[in-house]
mmCIF file of all heavy atoms in Angstrom:
data_model
loop_
_atom_site.group_PDB
_atom_site.id
_atom_site.type_symbol
_atom_site.label_atom_id
_atom_site.label_comp_id
_atom_site.label_asym_id
_atom_site.label_seq_id
_atom_site.Cartn_x
_atom_site.Cartn_y
_atom_site.Cartn_z
ATOM 1 N N ALA A 63 133.862 166.434 63.693
ATOM 2 C CA ALA A 63 133.639 166.835 65.220
ATOM 3 C C ALA A 63 132.252 166.618 65.601
ATOM 4 O O ALA A 63 131.873 166.159 66.715
ATOM 5 C CB ALA A 63 134.084 168.303 65.403
ATOM 6 N N MET A 64 131.335 166.934 64.726
ATOM 7 C CA MET A 64 129.916 166.799 65.003
ATOM 8 C C MET A 64 129.487 165.345 65.117
ATOM 9 O O MET A 64 128.659 164.958 65.931
ATOM 10 C CB MET A 64 129.000 167.456 63.929
ATOM 11 C CG MET A 64 129.178 168.903 63.906
ATOM 12 S SD MET A 64 128.548 169.589 65.438
ATOM 13 C CE MET A 64 129.388 171.133 65.311
ATOM 14 N N VAL A 66 131.495 162.627 65.723
ATOM 15 C CA VAL A 66 132.215 161.731 66.582
ATOM 16 C C VAL A 66 131.484 161.343 67.817
ATOM 17 O O VAL A 66 130.709 162.183 68.370
ATOM 18 C CB VAL A 66 133.596 162.411 66.942
ATOM 19 C CG1 VAL A 66 133.460 163.514 68.022
ATOM 20 C CG2 VAL A 66 134.576 161.446 67.375
ATOM 21 N N LEU A 70 128.131 155.823 69.504
ATOM 22 C CA LEU A 70 128.261 155.190 70.836
ATOM 23 C C LEU A 70 126.905 154.896 71.446
ATOM 24 O O LEU A 70 126.677 153.900 72.164
ATOM 25 C CB LEU A 70 129.119 156.065 71.815
ATOM 26 C CG LEU A 70 130.573 155.975 71.736
ATOM 27 C CD1 LEU A 70 131.248 156.944 72.626
ATOM 28 C CD2 LEU A 70 131.139 154.549 71.960
ATOM 29 N N PHE A 74 124.893 151.886 73.675
ATOM 30 C CA PHE A 74 124.166 152.012 74.981
ATOM 31 C C PHE A 74 122.773 151.380 74.744
ATOM 32 O O PHE A 74 122.280 150.706 75.668
ATOM 33 C CB PHE A 74 123.889 153.477 75.298
ATOM 34 C CG PHE A 74 125.118 154.191 75.663
ATOM 35 C CD1 PHE A 74 125.122 155.630 75.940
ATOM 36 C CD2 PHE A 74 126.432 153.554 75.824
ATOM 37 C CE1 PHE A 74 126.229 156.313 76.291
ATOM 38 C CE2 PHE A 74 127.538 154.297 76.131
ATOM 39 C CZ PHE A 74 127.470 155.646 76.385
ATOM 40 N N GLY A 77 122.638 147.647 75.250
ATOM 41 C CA GLY A 77 122.693 147.110 76.661
ATOM 42 C C GLY A 77 121.381 147.438 77.416
ATOM 43 O O GLY A 77 121.055 146.639 78.292
ATOM 44 N N THR A 78 120.690 148.459 77.089
ATOM 45 C CA THR A 78 119.493 148.873 77.838
ATOM 46 C C THR A 78 118.229 148.295 77.211
ATOM 47 O O THR A 78 117.463 147.603 77.877
ATOM 48 C CB THR A 78 119.395 150.305 77.985
ATOM 49 O OG1 THR A 78 120.631 150.798 78.466
ATOM 50 C CG2 THR A 78 118.281 150.818 78.884
ATOM 51 N N SER A 81 118.679 144.027 75.646
ATOM 52 C CA SER A 81 119.574 143.241 76.454
ATOM 53 C C SER A 81 119.642 141.753 76.034
ATOM 54 O O SER A 81 120.646 141.160 76.153
ATOM 55 C CB SER A 81 119.228 143.454 77.922
ATOM 56 O OG SER A 81 117.900 142.972 78.131
ATOM 57 N N TYR A 85 123.064 140.221 74.850
ATOM 58 C CA TYR A 85 123.726 139.178 75.565
ATOM 59 C C TYR A 85 124.053 138.082 74.634
ATOM 60 O O TYR A 85 125.115 137.492 74.602
ATOM 61 C CB TYR A 85 122.890 138.668 76.735
ATOM 62 C CG TYR A 85 123.557 137.590 77.460
ATOM 63 C CD1 TYR A 85 124.524 137.800 78.489
ATOM 64 C CD2 TYR A 85 123.296 136.253 77.133
ATOM 65 C CE1 TYR A 85 125.197 136.818 79.101
ATOM 66 C CE2 TYR A 85 123.956 135.179 77.822
ATOM 67 C CZ TYR A 85 124.873 135.510 78.786
ATOM 68 O OH TYR A 85 125.589 134.479 79.430
ATOM 69 N N ALA A 111 145.262 164.730 63.884
ATOM 70 C CA ALA A 111 146.051 165.739 64.519
ATOM 71 C C ALA A 111 147.178 166.255 63.625
ATOM 72 O O ALA A 111 147.328 167.469 63.418
ATOM 73 C CB ALA A 111 146.575 165.268 65.863
ATOM 74 N N PHE A 115 147.179 169.977 62.391
ATOM 75 C CA PHE A 115 148.189 170.820 63.108
ATOM 76 C C PHE A 115 149.527 170.762 62.401
ATOM 77 O O PHE A 115 150.489 171.506 62.778
ATOM 78 C CB PHE A 115 148.401 170.355 64.634
ATOM 79 C CG PHE A 115 147.168 170.410 65.433
ATOM 80 C CD1 PHE A 115 146.951 169.652 66.535
ATOM 81 C CD2 PHE A 115 146.100 171.309 65.096
ATOM 82 C CE1 PHE A 115 145.899 169.630 67.398
ATOM 83 C CE2 PHE A 115 145.012 171.344 65.931
ATOM 84 C CZ PHE A 115 144.823 170.509 66.968
ATOM 85 N N LYS A 119 154.769 171.606 60.445
ATOM 86 C CA LYS A 119 155.608 170.820 61.353
ATOM 87 C C LYS A 119 156.192 169.589 60.741
ATOM 88 O O LYS A 119 157.194 169.055 61.201
ATOM 89 C CB LYS A 119 154.749 170.380 62.583
ATOM 90 C CG LYS A 119 154.008 171.480 63.323
ATOM 91 C CD LYS A 119 154.941 171.990 64.417
ATOM 92 C CE LYS A 119 154.183 173.063 65.193
ATOM 93 N NZ LYS A 119 155.051 173.699 66.153
ATOM 94 N N GLN A 345 115.238 124.082 76.429
ATOM 95 C CA GLN A 345 114.701 124.004 77.785
ATOM 96 C C GLN A 345 115.066 122.626 78.442
ATOM 97 O O GLN A 345 115.530 122.571 79.556
ATOM 98 C CB GLN A 345 113.121 124.152 77.751
ATOM 99 C CG GLN A 345 112.694 125.606 77.562
ATOM 100 C CD GLN A 345 111.200 125.648 77.285
ATOM 101 O OE1 GLN A 345 110.668 124.739 76.590
ATOM 102 N NE2 GLN A 345 110.601 126.692 77.830
ATOM 103 N N ARG A 348 118.761 122.474 79.358
ATOM 104 C CA ARG A 348 119.074 123.250 80.650
ATOM 105 C C ARG A 348 118.558 122.629 81.835
ATOM 106 O O ARG A 348 119.211 122.582 82.884
ATOM 107 C CB ARG A 348 118.623 124.707 80.466
ATOM 108 C CG ARG A 348 119.341 125.436 79.326
ATOM 109 C CD ARG A 348 119.065 126.868 79.348
ATOM 110 N NE ARG A 348 119.635 127.498 80.630
ATOM 111 C CZ ARG A 348 120.909 127.949 80.709
ATOM 112 N NH1 ARG A 348 121.741 127.724 79.733
ATOM 113 N NH2 ARG A 348 121.301 128.511 81.820
ATOM 114 N N LYS A 352 120.812 120.893 84.906
ATOM 115 C CA LYS A 352 120.506 121.247 86.374
ATOM 116 C C LYS A 352 120.421 119.953 87.173
ATOM 117 O O LYS A 352 120.804 119.900 88.296
ATOM 118 C CB LYS A 352 119.240 122.037 86.478
ATOM 119 C CG LYS A 352 119.438 123.531 86.476
ATOM 120 C CD LYS A 352 118.040 124.176 86.667
ATOM 121 C CE LYS A 352 118.070 125.559 86.122
ATOM 122 N NZ LYS A 352 116.703 126.160 86.002
ATOM 123 N N TYR A 378 109.029 131.561 67.819
ATOM 124 C CA TYR A 378 108.268 132.676 68.440
ATOM 125 C C TYR A 378 107.253 133.271 67.525
ATOM 126 O O TYR A 378 106.603 134.177 67.891
ATOM 127 C CB TYR A 378 109.276 133.777 68.873
ATOM 128 C CG TYR A 378 110.260 133.248 69.930
ATOM 129 C CD1 TYR A 378 111.580 132.883 69.522
ATOM 130 C CD2 TYR A 378 109.949 133.109 71.334
ATOM 131 C CE1 TYR A 378 112.454 132.452 70.445
ATOM 132 C CE2 TYR A 378 110.832 132.707 72.214
ATOM 133 C CZ TYR A 378 112.136 132.351 71.837
ATOM 134 O OH TYR A 378 113.025 131.886 72.717
ATOM 135 N N GLN A 471 112.708 143.774 79.000
ATOM 136 C CA GLN A 471 111.330 143.968 79.545
ATOM 137 C C GLN A 471 111.315 145.309 80.283
ATOM 138 O O GLN A 471 111.303 145.390 81.563
ATOM 139 C CB GLN A 471 110.942 142.876 80.484
ATOM 140 C CG GLN A 471 110.671 141.564 79.676
ATOM 141 C CD GLN A 471 110.322 140.441 80.490
ATOM 142 O OE1 GLN A 471 110.314 140.419 81.768
ATOM 143 N NE2 GLN A 471 109.943 139.303 79.899
ATOM 144 N N TYR B 12 151.004 168.998 69.046
ATOM 145 C CA TYR B 12 149.648 169.090 69.692
ATOM 146 C C TYR B 12 149.528 170.461 70.472
ATOM 147 O O TYR B 12 148.505 171.152 70.359
ATOM 148 C CB TYR B 12 149.509 167.976 70.687
ATOM 149 C CG TYR B 12 149.152 166.692 69.959
ATOM 150 C CD1 TYR B 12 150.169 165.744 69.611
ATOM 151 C CD2 TYR B 12 147.768 166.338 69.720
ATOM 152 C CE1 TYR B 12 149.793 164.560 68.993
ATOM 153 C CE2 TYR B 12 147.427 165.144 69.112
ATOM 154 C CZ TYR B 12 148.407 164.293 68.737
ATOM 155 O OH TYR B 12 148.079 163.133 68.120
ATOM 156 N N ASP B 14 151.015 173.463 69.999
ATOM 157 C CA ASP B 14 150.908 174.635 69.135
ATOM 158 C C ASP B 14 149.553 174.479 68.394
ATOM 159 O O ASP B 14 148.965 175.505 68.128
ATOM 160 C CB ASP B 14 152.086 174.739 68.187
ATOM 161 C CG ASP B 14 153.400 174.981 68.863
ATOM 162 O OD1 ASP B 14 153.294 175.471 69.992
ATOM 163 O OD2 ASP B 14 154.446 174.729 68.244
ATOM 164 N N GLY B 15 149.283 173.340 67.991
ATOM 165 C CA GLY B 15 148.025 173.118 67.289
ATOM 166 C C GLY B 15 146.828 173.526 68.060
ATOM 167 O O GLY B 15 145.942 174.284 67.611
ATOM 168 N N ILE B 28 132.086 171.851 71.474
ATOM 169 C CA ILE B 28 130.919 170.986 71.148
ATOM 170 C C ILE B 28 131.202 169.554 71.495
ATOM 171 O O ILE B 28 130.287 168.807 72.118
ATOM 172 C CB ILE B 28 130.472 171.186 69.682
ATOM 173 C CG1 ILE B 28 130.012 172.555 69.455
ATOM 174 C CG2 ILE B 28 129.426 170.189 69.255
ATOM 175 C CD1 ILE B 28 129.837 172.963 68.010
ATOM 176 N N LYS B 32 129.129 167.298 74.174
ATOM 177 C CA LYS B 32 128.463 166.106 73.635
ATOM 178 C C LYS B 32 128.907 164.883 74.425
ATOM 179 O O LYS B 32 128.061 164.069 74.819
ATOM 180 C CB LYS B 32 128.856 165.912 72.215
ATOM 181 C CG LYS B 32 128.054 164.853 71.444
ATOM 182 C CD LYS B 32 128.275 164.925 69.996
ATOM 183 C CE LYS B 32 129.715 164.947 69.565
ATOM 184 N NZ LYS B 32 129.944 164.879 68.191
ATOM 185 N N ILE B 36 126.590 162.446 76.633
ATOM 186 C CA ILE B 36 126.472 161.012 76.350
ATOM 187 C C ILE B 36 126.942 160.139 77.577
ATOM 188 O O ILE B 36 126.266 159.256 77.931
ATOM 189 C CB ILE B 36 127.389 160.639 75.093
ATOM 190 C CG1 ILE B 36 126.736 161.275 73.866
ATOM 191 C CG2 ILE B 36 127.600 159.200 74.941
ATOM 192 C CD1 ILE B 36 127.609 161.068 72.614
ATOM 193 N N PHE B 37 128.064 160.442 78.151
ATOM 194 C CA PHE B 37 128.638 159.607 79.151
ATOM 195 C C PHE B 37 128.215 159.819 80.555
ATOM 196 O O PHE B 37 128.116 158.952 81.397
ATOM 197 C CB PHE B 37 130.181 159.632 79.177
ATOM 198 C CG PHE B 37 130.729 158.821 77.977
ATOM 199 C CD1 PHE B 37 131.338 159.509 76.929
ATOM 200 C CD2 PHE B 37 130.773 157.428 77.992
ATOM 201 C CE1 PHE B 37 131.827 158.744 75.801
ATOM 202 C CE2 PHE B 37 131.270 156.667 76.923
ATOM 203 C CZ PHE B 37 131.812 157.325 75.845
ATOM 204 N N LEU B 40 123.392 160.608 79.736
ATOM 205 C CA LEU B 40 122.598 159.464 79.184
ATOM 206 C C LEU B 40 123.058 158.137 79.716
ATOM 207 O O LEU B 40 122.223 157.322 80.162
ATOM 208 C CB LEU B 40 122.893 159.421 77.639
ATOM 209 C CG LEU B 40 122.270 160.604 76.853
ATOM 210 C CD1 LEU B 40 122.659 160.475 75.432
ATOM 211 C CD2 LEU B 40 120.767 160.570 76.989
ATOM 212 N N PHE B 45 120.725 155.044 80.484
ATOM 213 C CA PHE B 45 121.131 153.769 79.773
ATOM 214 C C PHE B 45 121.976 152.865 80.630
ATOM 215 O O PHE B 45 123.186 152.576 80.291
ATOM 216 C CB PHE B 45 121.843 154.114 78.387
ATOM 217 C CG PHE B 45 120.836 154.536 77.366
ATOM 218 C CD1 PHE B 45 120.652 155.955 77.252
ATOM 219 C CD2 PHE B 45 120.201 153.665 76.600
ATOM 220 C CE1 PHE B 45 119.731 156.387 76.273
ATOM 221 C CE2 PHE B 45 119.229 154.063 75.665
ATOM 222 C CZ PHE B 45 119.030 155.479 75.511
ATOM 223 N N ARG B 46 121.415 152.426 81.649
ATOM 224 C CA ARG B 46 122.136 151.480 82.586
ATOM 225 C C ARG B 46 121.974 150.115 81.999
ATOM 226 O O ARG B 46 121.035 149.747 81.393
ATOM 227 C CB ARG B 46 121.629 151.580 83.960
ATOM 228 C CG ARG B 46 121.655 153.036 84.501
ATOM 229 C CD ARG B 46 120.824 153.223 85.642
ATOM 230 N NE ARG B 46 121.392 152.604 86.850
ATOM 231 C CZ ARG B 46 121.869 153.337 87.840
ATOM 232 N NH1 ARG B 46 121.883 154.684 87.783
ATOM 233 N NH2 ARG B 46 122.399 152.843 88.876
ATOM 234 N N TYR B 48 120.920 146.665 81.402
ATOM 235 C CA TYR B 48 119.761 145.996 81.973
ATOM 236 C C TYR B 48 120.057 144.674 82.619
ATOM 237 O O TYR B 48 119.558 144.321 83.754
ATOM 238 C CB TYR B 48 118.762 145.781 80.758
ATOM 239 C CG TYR B 48 117.430 145.085 81.247
ATOM 240 C CD1 TYR B 48 116.419 145.901 81.611
ATOM 241 C CD2 TYR B 48 117.278 143.682 81.218
ATOM 242 C CE1 TYR B 48 115.135 145.313 82.043
ATOM 243 C CE2 TYR B 48 116.031 143.127 81.563
ATOM 244 C CZ TYR B 48 115.026 143.993 81.974
ATOM 245 O OH TYR B 48 113.864 143.435 82.368
ATOM 246 N N ILE B 49 120.960 143.929 81.977
ATOM 247 C CA ILE B 49 121.254 142.623 82.652
ATOM 248 C C ILE B 49 122.085 142.775 83.898
ATOM 249 O O ILE B 49 121.872 142.095 84.896
ATOM 250 C CB ILE B 49 122.093 141.760 81.598
ATOM 251 C CG1 ILE B 49 121.220 141.372 80.491
ATOM 252 C CG2 ILE B 49 122.689 140.467 82.196
ATOM 253 C CD1 ILE B 49 121.741 140.659 79.295
ATOM 254 N N GLU B 60 121.379 132.086 82.950
ATOM 255 C CA GLU B 60 120.141 131.596 83.484
ATOM 256 C C GLU B 60 119.062 132.711 83.315
ATOM 257 O O GLU B 60 117.866 132.368 83.046
ATOM 258 C CB GLU B 60 120.290 131.361 85.012
ATOM 259 C CG GLU B 60 119.285 130.453 85.585
ATOM 260 C CD GLU B 60 119.029 129.141 84.798
ATOM 261 O OE1 GLU B 60 120.016 128.448 84.445
ATOM 262 O OE2 GLU B 60 117.890 128.847 84.521
ATOM 263 N N ILE B 62 118.875 135.140 81.071
ATOM 264 C CA ILE B 62 118.518 135.223 79.658
ATOM 265 C C ILE B 62 117.646 133.947 79.303
ATOM 266 O O ILE B 62 116.547 134.144 78.656
ATOM 267 C CB ILE B 62 119.679 135.204 78.697
ATOM 268 C CG1 ILE B 62 120.436 136.607 78.919
ATOM 269 C CG2 ILE B 62 119.351 135.095 77.218
ATOM 270 C CD1 ILE B 62 119.703 137.814 78.529
ATOM 271 N N ALA B 63 117.997 132.774 79.739
ATOM 272 C CA ALA B 63 117.152 131.604 79.494
ATOM 273 C C ALA B 63 115.713 131.816 80.014
ATOM 274 O O ALA B 63 114.769 131.505 79.381
ATOM 275 C CB ALA B 63 117.783 130.364 80.164
ATOM 276 N N LYS B 65 114.206 134.582 80.446
ATOM 277 C CA LYS B 65 113.549 135.562 79.591
ATOM 278 C C LYS B 65 112.984 135.028 78.227
ATOM 279 O O LYS B 65 111.972 135.370 77.837
ATOM 280 C CB LYS B 65 114.353 136.803 79.360
ATOM 281 C CG LYS B 65 114.797 137.570 80.602
ATOM 282 C CD LYS B 65 113.581 138.343 81.180
ATOM 283 C CE LYS B 65 113.889 138.817 82.542
ATOM 284 N NZ LYS B 65 112.676 139.161 83.250
ATOM 285 N N ILE B 66 113.863 134.236 77.597
ATOM 286 C CA ILE B 66 113.482 133.884 76.226
ATOM 287 C C ILE B 66 112.950 132.517 76.162
ATOM 288 O O ILE B 66 112.333 132.126 75.105
ATOM 289 C CB ILE B 66 114.702 134.108 75.193
ATOM 290 C CG1 ILE B 66 115.759 133.058 75.457
ATOM 291 C CG2 ILE B 66 115.252 135.462 75.277
ATOM 292 C CD1 ILE B 66 116.791 133.037 74.250
ATOM 293 N N LEU B 67 113.102 131.664 77.189
ATOM 294 C CA LEU B 67 112.650 130.275 77.055
ATOM 295 C C LEU B 67 111.212 130.072 77.794
ATOM 296 O O LEU B 67 110.449 129.212 77.475
ATOM 297 C CB LEU B 67 113.604 129.243 77.503
ATOM 298 C CG LEU B 67 114.865 129.219 76.725
ATOM 299 C CD1 LEU B 67 115.845 128.149 77.289
ATOM 300 C CD2 LEU B 67 114.637 128.889 75.265
#
Side-chain angles (χ1 to χ4, degrees):
Chain A
M64 292 297 159
V66 77
L70 279 176
F74 292 175
T78 306
S81 59
Y85 180 82
F115 300 157
K119 303 271 185 187
Q345 284 170 323
R348 295 192 64 84
K352 268 186 206 162
Y378 299 97
Q471 287 179 355
Chain B
Y12 281 91
D14 295 342
I28 291 168
K32 190 168 54 174
I36 288 174
F37 284 105
L40 294 177
F45 286 94
R46 301 163 80 106
Y48 185 85
I49 293 175
E60 198 52 46
I62 292 296
K65 294 289 169 200
I66 72 169
L67 297 179

